[in-house]
Amino acid sequence: MRRYRDLLRTPGVLRIAVPSLVGRLPIGMLTLLFVLVVAAGTGSYGAAGLATAANSALTAFVGPVLGRLADRGRAVGVLVWCGLAQAGLLVGLVLALRGGGPAWLAILLAGLAGAVNPPIDPVTRAVLPRITRGPEQMRTAYALDAIAVDLTYVVGPAVVGLITAVADAYVATLVAAAVTVVGSIGLATAGPVRRGWPAPPPNRRRVSPLRSAGMLVVLAVAGLASIAYGLLEVAIPAHAALEGHAHQAGLLIAVWSAGSIAGGLWYASRTFRTPPWRQYGILMLGNVAGFGVILLQQNLWSLALLLLFAGLFIAPTTTLEFTLVAQLVPDESRAEAFTWANTSVYLGFAAGSALAGTALAPVLGTPDGLTIAGACAVGAVALGALLAWSARGALRVSPD
């Protein structure tokens, strides 16, 4: 914990970390909220699924554009205006649904809310290398950031559950809108963000992050791993329902995230001589083992223990992905690079969820459903591990 204490005492870090965490809470809230409010307002879970898909898809496709604007000196404006616009669209969604609006309008508003999703993740990750002290502290910062992502998916749904217990999903959506504004404006007004990004050297043009072979490798590996996550986040609730404990699905996912948090805390506390590009391959092999042991589950108790083990590799791998992106891309293109990383994760997760909901739909909820979905997940992660090892030469390249 000493490393985290030293990190948070570094000037500017806490000022970035707090609003970044606050601004990301709605990410863990909105997927659940779109299902709840759209289904309640339209009476259709199909419309709720389309609204969620539209939100994720437009977040994935528009994100790199917002990241590019941030890299060009407009980070403050992008954060402020996107935060306000998304909050306004969420309020509009609530008003439309409470007024009996049609399903297509709810889908449209949810999609537009995704298009203006504030680029809090990429801006935070682009700023961190400029305010941390050396590679080790930067790795600790990225580990903390990965842990913050996991906390988002634990705390966000819990907040939704608490608010809906005392009020309803509409109120929870309005709270998410308010939190979005607070987090976005809080990050936008932080000194490291207001100072902006350095311009590229006079003899170097601004280059797209996708021109880096190493960056493409990281995007592909992250996308393949996200397919596995998307598969299991559908298969695990279906299996819990089969076991007669559907209400425990959220707890199982939370245990998975808890394992990731523990792994991230441990990883950032160590000093490794192995270079990041080699660590990446090793940790991807660890993820293959983590997904593989899930196939050994016998009941929900054993599944929870195996998910705790599987989660140990997630945050360290994510930390390394952040580190590699920061090393592979010039400083003036980092925000866009991190939005592409988010896009890869969103698209991979969507592909895994779609695979679970189509090709694997007949077997999910059967005794063999989790085993079959888990085997597919292992295959996706194994392919990612193979790519991380076979293309490791590209990951050794530095933009400088």
Side-chain angles (χ1 to χ4, degrees):
M1 299 304 293
R2 184 183 69 253
R3 293 193 179 191
Y4 289 102
R5 184 179 65 247
D6 293 341
L7 170 68
L8 294 175
R9 287 176 176 174
T10 301
V13 170
L14 197 59
R15 182 63 180 83
I16 292 291
V18 172
S20 176
L21 179 61
V22 171
R24 281 187 278 199
L25 276 179
I27 298 173
M29 300 171 67
L30 288 178
T31 300
L32 177 58
L33 282 174
F34 284 136
V35 173
L36 294 176
V37 297
V38 176
T42 65
S44 169
Y45 278 100
L50 288 175
T52 303
N55 181 268
S56 296
L58 283 172
T59 296
F61 289 115
V62 179
V65 177
L66 300 179
R68 193 174 305 128
L69 289 172
D71 280 330
R72 293 177 177 176
R74 300 174 184 172
V76 173
V78 168
L79 286 168
V80 171
W81 288 111
C82 283
L84 292 172
Q86 186 180 67
L89 286 163
L90 293 176
V91 172
L93 176 65
V94 169
L95 294 176
L97 289 171
R98 297 207 71 157
W104 67 263
L105 180 58
I107 295 169
L108 175 64
L109 291 171
L112 291 175
V116 294
N117 196 16
I120 290 174
D121 282 358
V123 168
T124 298
R125 293 165 193 163
V127 166
L128 286 175
R130 295 192 286 116
I131 59 177
T132 50
R133 298 168 178 168
E136 282 299 325
Q137 195 175 69
M138 184 179 76
R139 186 166 64 89
T140 303
Y142 281 143
L144 184 63
D145 193 66
I147 291 167
V149 172
D150 284 313
L151 283 173
T152 293
Y153 289 103
V154 173
V155 177
V159 171
V160 172
L162 180 62
I163 297 173
T164 53
V166 299
D168 57 29
Y170 295 119
V171 173
T173 305
L174 295 177
V175 171
V179 173
T180 296
V181 172
V182 172
S184 298
I185 294 180
L187 184 60
T189 54
V193 176
R194 286 188 289 105
R195 286 193 290 272
W197 275 233
N203 59 344
R204 184 170 73 190
R205 288 174 47 201
R206 187 182 297 272
V207 182
S208 169
L210 300 183
R211 298 288 295 273
S212 163
M215 181 70 188
L216 294 178
V217 171
V218 173
L219 294 180
V221 174
L224 286 165
S226 297
I227 290 174
Y229 300 137
L231 277 166
L232 287 190
E233 290 228 10
V234 176
I236 289 171
H239 184 73
L242 173 69
E243 295 286 324
H245 299 282
H247 61 286
Q248 292 185 3
L251 180 60
L252 290 169
I253 301 299
V255 168
W256 202 10
S257 294
S260 177
I261 292 170
L265 288 170
W266 175 86
Y267 178 75
S269 71
R270 316 302 297 176
T271 298
F272 299 95
R273 295 181 180 178
T274 307
W277 56 268
R278 184 172 292 161
Q279 290 181 45
Y280 195 40
I282 294 171
L283 280 172
M284 283 305 298
L285 291 176
N287 277 287
V288 174
F291 279 93
V293 299
I294 294 173
L295 303 180
L296 303 177
Q297 62 82 28
Q298 298 296 318
N299 51 49
L300 292 188
W301 282 105
S302 65
L303 177 58
L305 289 173
L306 294 172
L307 285 171
L308 186 66
F309 171 77
L312 294 174
F313 302 97
I314 297 175
T317 306
T318 304
T319 301
L320 268 177
E321 286 171 355
F322 297 163
T323 302
L324 287 168
V325 169
Q327 291 178 349
L328 291 163
V329 176
D331 192 14
E332 64 269 11
S333 299
R334 279 187 185 142
E336 182 184 353
F338 281 115
T339 54
W340 278 113
N342 280 355
T343 292
S344 175
V345 170
Y346 275 115
L347 293 181
F349 191 88
S353 300
L355 178 61
T358 54
L360 298 183
V363 300
L364 292 182
T366 69
D368 295 326
L370 182 58
T371 300
I372 294 171
C376 293
V378 171
V381 176
L383 187 57
L386 178 63
L387 179 59
W389 275 107
S390 61
R392 60 187 181 275
L395 298 175
R396 300 170 70 174
V397 179
S398 170
D400 298 324

